[in-house]
């Protein structure tokens, strides 16, 4: 086994090959190669469970549960949609509609109407994904608009109202 030195080719006839210390090289099957560098070890981040896209007030949960209890048996939940106003005005609005399981798309997000055993914490999306219970669904077109907001019930007791993170009423026409 001969130790071969790596040479740099240059257009200059007087160029000397680069010097290589024996500490910087390793012999691999008759040739000299640089030593492998140590890789950084990445620390694994701890898993943080996903939160629901919308938070619901206790009054709102009760309202939606009551509405779904008197609805037809084929109703799977209530869908929040973002669409143009039906009165002909050039405005957008949020609507709450009953939906069947065939109307729920794969990109629509479900928010459980149930809470954990403590009575306060809502069920996580992973736990409620396939529990078969009625949910509040967020249409994929409305998802970014309502992400992080809260739904409460108005003073009349039957009108759901969306609030942003600062507690202001959510205007669907704001960007």
């Amino acid at each position: 086994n001969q130790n071969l030195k790596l040479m740099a080719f240059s257009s200059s006839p007087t160029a000397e090959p680069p010097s290589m210390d024996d500490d910087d090289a390793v012999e691999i099957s008759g040739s000299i190669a640089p030593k492998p560098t140590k890789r950084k070890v990445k620390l694994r981040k701890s898993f943080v469970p996903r939160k629901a896209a919308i938070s619901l007030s206790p009054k709102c949960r009760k309202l939606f549960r009551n509405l779904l209890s008197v609805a037809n048996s084929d109703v799977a939940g209530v869908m929040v949609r973002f669409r143009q106003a039906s009165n002909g005005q050039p405005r957008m609005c949020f609507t709450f509609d009953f939906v069947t399981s065939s109307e729920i798309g794969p990109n629509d997000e479900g928010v459980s109407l149930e809470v954990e055993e403590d009575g306060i914490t809502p069920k996580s999306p992973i736990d409620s994904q396939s529990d078969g219970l009625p949910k509040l669904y967020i249409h994929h077109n409305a998802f970014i608009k309502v992400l992080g907001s809260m739904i409460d019930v108005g003073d009349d007791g039957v009108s759901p109202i969306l609030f942003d993170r600062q507690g202001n009423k959510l205007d669907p026409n704001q960007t």
Side-chain angles (χ1 to χ4, degrees), residues 19-152:
S19 64
M20 183 181 283
D21 296 337
D22 287 336
D23 294 340
D24 294 337
V26 176
E27 183 178 342
I28 301 175
S29 65
S31 65
I32 298 177
K35 282 187 179 178
T37 59
K38 292 182 180 179
R39 292 186 181 186
K40 292 182 180 178
V41 177
K42 291 185 178 179
L43 298 176
R44 295 193 95 178
K45 294 181 180 178
S46 63
F47 175 73
V48 178
R50 193 172 55 132
K51 292 175 21 178
I54 293 180
S55 60
L56 303 171
S57 70
K59 289 193 296 186
C60 182
R61 286 183 196 282
K62 184 177 178 184
L63 171 69
F64 286 137
R65 278 194 217 125
N66 290 341
L67 288 173
L68 291 168
S69 68
V70 296
N72 294 336
S73 61
D74 59 338
V75 172
V78 177
M79 177 82 74
V80 178
R81 289 193 168 105
F82 179 65
R83 57 173 72 162
Q84 187 170 355
S86 62
N87 60 3
Q89 293 181 353
R91 293 188 54 83
M92 300 299 286
C93 64
F94 294 112
T95 60
F96 295 83
D97 304 317
F98 289 119
V99 290
T100 61
S101 57
S102 63
E103 295 173 315
I104 300 168
N107 295 329
D108 297 336
E109 181 82 14
V111 178
S112 178
L113 298 175
E114 305 301 318
V115 291
E116 297 289 341
E117 291 81 25
D118 63 3
I120 300 169
T121 309
K123 251 180 145 175
S124 70
I126 293 172
D127 294 339
S128 68
Q129 189 171 18
S130 59
D131 61 2
L133 296 172
K135 295 176 185 50
L136 172 73
Y137 292 95
I138 305 167
H139 193 267
H140 59 275
N141 291 341
F143 187 78
I144 295 297
K145 281 285 196 182
V146 299
L147 184 63
S149 63
M150 186 185 99
I151 301 178
D152 199 3

